[in-house]
C-alpha cells in the first residue's frame, strides 16, 4: 500500500511486481471482511478514491478527475 499526502492508504500501483501480490490482497481482504463481520473498528483510513472503487457505485455526475485531488494535490491544481 502507498500513503497519500493526507495520510490515507491505497494499493500501490506497482504491487503487481511482487511475486505473491494476489494472495496478499486476498489476505488483507479477509482481515477487513472479518473486522466488518465482527464489528471491529480498525484505525486505518483508506483513500476516498479507493473506497469509491470498492463500492463500485455508478454515478453519472462522477469524474475520476475528482479523485486526483486526493492522490496528487499539485497535479490537481
Amino acid at each position: 500500500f502507498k500513503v497519500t499526502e493526507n495520510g490515507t492508504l491505497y494499493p500501490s500501483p506497482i504491487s503487481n511486481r511482487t511475486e505473491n501480490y494476489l494472495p496478499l490482497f486476498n489476505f488483507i481482504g479477509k482481515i477487513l471482511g472479518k473486522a466488518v463481520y465482527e464489528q471491529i473498528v480498525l484505525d486505518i483510513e483508506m483513500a476516498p478514491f479507493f473506497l469509491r472503487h470498492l463500492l463500485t457505485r455508478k454515478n453519472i455526475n462522477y469524474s475520476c478527475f475528482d479523485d486526483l485531488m486526493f492522490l496528487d494535490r499539485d497535479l490537481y491544481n
Side-chain angles (χ1 to χ4, degrees), residues 1-2 10-17 25 71:
F1 280 79
K2 290 190 76 170
Y10 69 98
S12 173
I14 59 170
S15 61
N16 63 347
R17 295 183 187 164
F25 279 130
L71 189 58

Side-chain angles (χ1 to χ4, degrees), residues 38-51:
E38 298 288 337
Q39 299 178 355
I40 298 171
V41 177
L42 299 176
D43 190 21
I44 56 174
E45 191 172 349
M46 299 291 191
F49 59 88
F50 177 57
L51 293 176

